[in-house]
Amino acid sequence: MITPIILAGGSGTRLWPVSRKAYPKQFTSLAGDQTLYQDTLKRLSHLDAPVVITGTDYRFIAAEQAAEAEQDLSSIMIEPEGRNTAPAILTAALMHEDTPDAILLIMPSDHIVADEDGFRAALEEGRIAAEESRIVTFGSVPTRPETGYGYLELVAPAGACKAALPLISFVEKPDADRAADMIATGKYLWNGGMFMARVDTLIEAFDTHAPHLMLPCRAALAGAQTDLDFTRLAAGPWAKLEDISVDYAIMEKHDDLVVVPMDCGWSDMGSWDSVWRESPQDADGNVMQGNATAMDCTDTLLRSDNDGVELVGLGLEGITAIATGDAILVARTDDSQKVKEVLATLKAKEAKQATEFSKCHRPWGHYETLALGPRFQVKRIVVKPGAQLSLQSHHHRSEHWTVVEGSAIVHVDGEDMLKTENESTYIPLGAVHRLSNPGKLPLTLIEVQSGCYLGEDDIVRYEDIYARAEAKAA
């Protein structure tokens, strides 16, 4: 069988404002009811249970969305910090070192595939080549001169061939003219960022081409700790690793690479242009998602993720307009590759919308700031059934909680109280407290904070069923 290694730690900045560091695109629904990550898990459900590699901030999201999709995971490996794809892939291979002939499929978590039968057929061709101790890449047959993708150069035109072909080189993202020239030769495929190889083949390739990664990756794995259902790699050795992609570390140096052509409707969903292209369109080429309406528009993408915001496009052509609760993007669709420049500008002006959402997700649920002043803050807090916040106290603020939906068990300085709809309680400054949802429905409450400092780092945590670090937000 094949064991998938799913890379789920990226931030998807080109899909701002829907995708941000706080909640990136792989965990978002962009072209259907399921998230891209959930679609990936289902696409691989005929294989062995996958290993998911992600960051600390996303570990609970990855586990929760897998459970929602009814997909089993072998494990979730937590990177202490991002070090690009090469260290993550090597560590995953070392995890399976005791089964050297096992085949690993390394792939991103945020792509889409329209033809799953074609995708499975490509994996089977890849398996045959991988069993011969080759490293296999997968390239998608181009349908247009795309400047947002890297390319794979073949020794000869692929034509209708589906079997693995020798790879000459990796080509960085080209300009439009060069992309058109390359496609005309028939010898280039889009680089899908997917690889397949035996465990011993991968480890040998790293030992040959990137030996400096071996010791710290081994040390990070040897020092890994079990954290609930997660495997947390040791932070000290991991911090010493070079930040490098697997392409640069291994693939561009290896002399026995082959490519399996895929013609299965693949897209990396890496820009709003690709979202528009891959989503169902009306007769005028418009895509409308959420609370959006198009009037006299053509080739336009309109998306509103806010129930309170109705987005209307009038007389637009080739425009992307995206509205969330705290940010709006309006751009020509063919400029969507430039969204990274928007992020750089927002970060330079220290706009929190560059990386954070007004709705903050936590393992117990989420909260959203409704109003914020110099000495007060009003939040809507939603706690999932059976979930609870940490046992904690604050140095600088008091809190007043009012239950508006569901029921809550409120613990304050050793006393437990049951509160139901339209009941409230007061949490004095310094009081040790905890909030739990004992019911089978979500708990919603309004929290009013008052004090001289209202930052999320004003938390002293005493107990936490989610094993989070003390300095993290509740």
Side-chain angles (χ1 to χ4, degrees):
M1 287 291 287
I2 299 169
T3 299
I5 308 297
I6 301 177
L7 307 178
S11 57
T13 53
R14 286 181 293 166
L15 287 174
W16 185 89
V18 169
S19 175
R20 308 182 199 179
K21 182 181 179 181
Y23 205 87
K25 72 166 182 171
Q26 60 266 30
F27 303 118
T28 303
S29 174
L30 291 174
D33 296 331
Q34 300 287 313
T35 68
L36 298 178
Y37 168 71
Q38 290 174 321
D39 284 342
T40 299
L41 293 178
K42 289 189 174 182
R43 190 179 309 127
L44 303 173
S45 60
H46 64 295
L47 306 177
D48 286 342
V51 174
V52 173
I53 304 177
T54 191
T56 295
D57 292 342
Y58 310 139
R59 66 197 191 280
F60 291 108
I61 302 172
E64 180 179 320
Q65 290 198 359
E68 290 175 353
E70 300 181 340
Q71 300 297 314
D72 293 330
L73 302 179
S74 172
S75 64
I76 296 179
M77 189 173 78
I78 302 173
E79 298 176 284
E81 54 186 306
R83 279 293 182 264
N84 216 313
T85 55
I89 292 169
L90 172 56
T91 305
L94 294 173
M95 287 179 66
H96 296 83
E97 196 168 15
D98 58 345
T99 54
D101 59 347
I103 295 177
L104 303 183
L105 169 65
I106 297 100
M107 63 181 301
S109 60
D110 53 1
H111 296 179
I112 67 167
V113 169
D115 178 7
E116 295 199 1
D117 289 339
F119 175 76
R120 293 188 179 191
L123 293 187
E124 179 59 22
E125 293 291 343
R127 182 191 62 78
I128 295 170
E131 287 179 342
E132 298 172 350
S133 298
R134 292 178 170 178
I135 296 180
V136 183
T137 65
F138 296 84
S140 186
V141 177
T143 59
R144 62 188 182 277
E146 174 62 58
T147 61
Y149 296 159
Y151 287 74
L152 304 171
E153 183 182 6
L154 308 177
V155 294
C161 180
K162 302 298 182 183
L165 300 170
L167 173 67
I168 292 180
S169 67
F170 291 81
V171 180
E172 293 293 332
K173 298 174 182 178
D175 59 30
D177 290 340
R178 188 182 180 207
D181 291 342
M182 287 172 14
I183 289 177
T185 68
K187 295 169 56 179
Y188 292 84
L189 303 174
W190 289 333
N191 185 359
M194 294 170 47
F195 306 93
M196 184 184 289
R198 284 171 48 123
V199 170
D200 54 1
T201 301
L202 268 179
I203 293 175
E204 181 182 355
F206 273 98
D207 202 25
T208 301
H209 302 299
H212 63 291
L213 300 179
M214 295 295 294
L215 285 179
C217 281
R218 286 190 182 277
L221 187 59
Q225 296 183 345
T226 300
D227 178 355
L228 300 178
D229 294 330
F230 311 110
T231 299
R232 185 183 293 276
L233 298 173
W238 196 259
K240 299 175 182 178
L241 283 161
E242 181 184 6
D243 186 324
I244 185 170
S245 72
V246 70
D247 283 1
Y248 287 130
I250 301 298
M251 302 304 172
E252 295 185 359
K253 303 173 183 177
H254 200 65
D255 59 3
D256 192 16
L257 289 175
V258 295
V259 184
V260 173
M262 297 191 305
D263 191 6
C264 55
W266 170 89
S267 171
D268 77 342
M269 297 297 275
S271 66
W272 287 117
D273 174 63
S274 61
V275 174
W276 169 75
R277 196 180 304 276
E278 302 300 332
S279 300
Q281 301 177 359
D282 68 13
D284 296 313
N286 300 311
V287 173
M288 288 159 284
Q289 299 178 343
N291 299 323
T293 302
M295 300 175 62
D296 298 327
C297 296
T298 56
D299 300 334
T300 288
L301 169 60
L302 302 174
R303 176 180 175 127
S304 173
D305 284 356
N306 191 322
D307 291 339
V309 175
E310 184 68 31
L311 177 63
V312 179
L314 176 62
L316 304 178
E317 180 178 357
I319 295 295
T320 290
I322 311 296
T324 65
D326 61 348
I328 296 173
L329 170 71
V330 181
R332 290 193 57 83
T333 302
D334 55 12
D335 282 337
S336 59
Q337 294 289 344
K338 299 179 181 179
V339 172
K340 279 191 174 182
E341 300 174 18
V342 174
L343 271 257
T345 300
L346 291 178
K347 288 178 181 178
K349 62 187 293 187
E350 299 183 348
K352 64 179 182 179
Q353 290 89 342
T355 57
E356 303 294 330
F357 284 97
S358 57
K359 177 186 288 187
C360 297
H361 293 266
R362 295 290 183 262
W364 45 260
H366 65 267
Y367 70 84
E368 184 176 6
T369 297
L370 305 179
L372 179 63
R375 293 184 59 87
F376 77 92
Q377 182 170 206
V378 181
K379 291 182 177 179
R380 178 192 294 113
I381 297 176
V382 178
V383 184
K384 294 180 289 190
Q388 66 177 218
L389 280 66
S390 61
L391 184 66
Q392 59 184 255
S393 65
H394 309 296
H395 291 302
H396 304 290
R397 70 176 186 254
S398 60
E399 298 172 341
H400 194 120
W401 295 344
T402 300
V403 176
V404 294
E405 288 182 322
S407 58
I409 293 179
V410 179
H411 176 97
V412 181
D413 285 338
E415 179 183 358
D416 289 337
M417 300 168 282
L418 177 65
K419 297 294 181 180
T420 58
E421 291 183 11
N422 207 31
E423 293 184 335
S424 62
T425 190
Y426 175 66
I427 314 296
L429 185 150
V432 177
H433 60 282
R434 170 182 278 160
L435 175 67
S436 305
N437 179 1
K440 296 182 178 181
L441 298 174
L443 159 67
T444 303
L445 60 86
I446 301 300
E447 176 184 83
V448 179
Q449 300 177 354
S450 179
C452 62
Y453 179 71
L454 306 173
E456 289 301 316
D457 55 349
D458 179 24
I459 294 177
V460 179
R461 183 171 284 120
Y462 305 99
E463 296 176 6
D464 182 31
I465 64 173
Y466 307 107
R468 291 165 294 171
E470 183 176 0
K472 292 291 184 181

